[in-house]
Amino acid sequence: LTRGFSIAQLLFAIAFIPAMLMFGAVSTITSWQRTQEIDRDIEYRGRVLATALAEGAVFGMVTGDKAALAEAITTIQRADPDLASLSVLDPDGRVIATSGLAPPGRDDVPFDQPIHLGTLPSDALTLDFPAATVQPSKAPTPRILGTARIVLTKALLVHAHRRALALSAALTLAAAV
């Protein structure tokens, strides 16, 4: 044996060093995977929530009813704690209704969805035509009434990820000792 080190110290080093190397490798891989998962989750939720806000804001945009717009915003905001802000903009980009005017953070991700006023094709409601003579009509171009903008923050998800990483580090250290 090497002089100056006790058997207990050598056994501890033999157990501790591989455990720390394994922890480092596993933590790096799981951290990267979790970051990718958070990005995918934010992207999906952002698109869904922006679409929901756009659909919910159509009535308020058509009628000019700001109370209906505020209700659409409040309903969507209750759905997700990661929402930093929601806004409904007119076609020129001016804010009509908004909620959660928090200053943008580095973990904030914006999503915009046009608010469309769709119409049915002119022959969509015709019921008395022979099936052989039906000609498909071109879908009319929807009129854009404005934009629904939401901003999601990754801060809560990233904080939870860091907390889980710290817990796994503590468990690894406890197991090595």
Side-chain angles (χ1 to χ4, degrees):
L1 292 176
T2 308
R3 294 181 192 256
F5 293 109
S6 69
I7 291 180
Q9 289 172 329
L10 287 174
L11 287 176
F12 178 75
I14 289 171
F16 185 74
I17 292 172
M20 287 300 99
L21 290 174
M22 183 62 83
F23 170 72
V26 169
S27 294
T28 301
I29 291 169
T30 58
S31 232
W32 178 77
Q33 287 176 334
R34 181 65 179 143
T35 301
Q36 298 299 315
E37 185 179 312
I38 287 171
D39 289 343
R40 280 191 307 270
D41 181 48
I42 290 289
E43 178 69 27
Y44 174 76
R45 286 176 27 217
R47 283 188 283 123
V48 168
L49 291 171
T51 301
L53 179 58
E55 292 296 320
V58 170
F59 176 76
M61 293 295 287
V62 169
T63 62
D65 186 357
K66 291 190 178 191
L69 292 172
E71 178 63 29
I73 285 174
T74 302
T75 302
I76 301 297
Q77 192 162 27
R78 283 189 215 130
D80 197 322
D82 293 327
L83 280 167
S85 69
L86 296 97
S87 302
V88 175
L89 311 171
D90 69 7
D92 297 324
R94 291 183 302 258
V95 176
I96 296 174
T98 189
S99 173
L101 289 174
R106 66 181 181 97
D107 289 331
D108 291 351
V109 182
F111 294 91
D112 289 349
Q113 180 69 32
I115 301 170
H116 294 285
L117 177 63
T119 58
L120 292 172
S122 60
D123 62 354
L125 300 176
T126 305
L127 300 176
D128 58 348
F129 50 83
T133 61
V134 174
Q135 298 294 325
S137 65
K138 290 184 178 179
T141 305
R143 183 173 151 221
I144 296 178
L145 302 173
T147 303
R149 175 174 295 152
I150 68 160
V151 178
L152 282 173
T153 182
K154 294 181 187 180
L156 294 174
L157 293 171
V158 170
H159 178 68
H161 169 63
R162 287 182 184 146
R163 199 172 56 232
L165 189 59
L167 178 63
S168 68
L171 288 174
T172 303
L173 285 173
V177 175

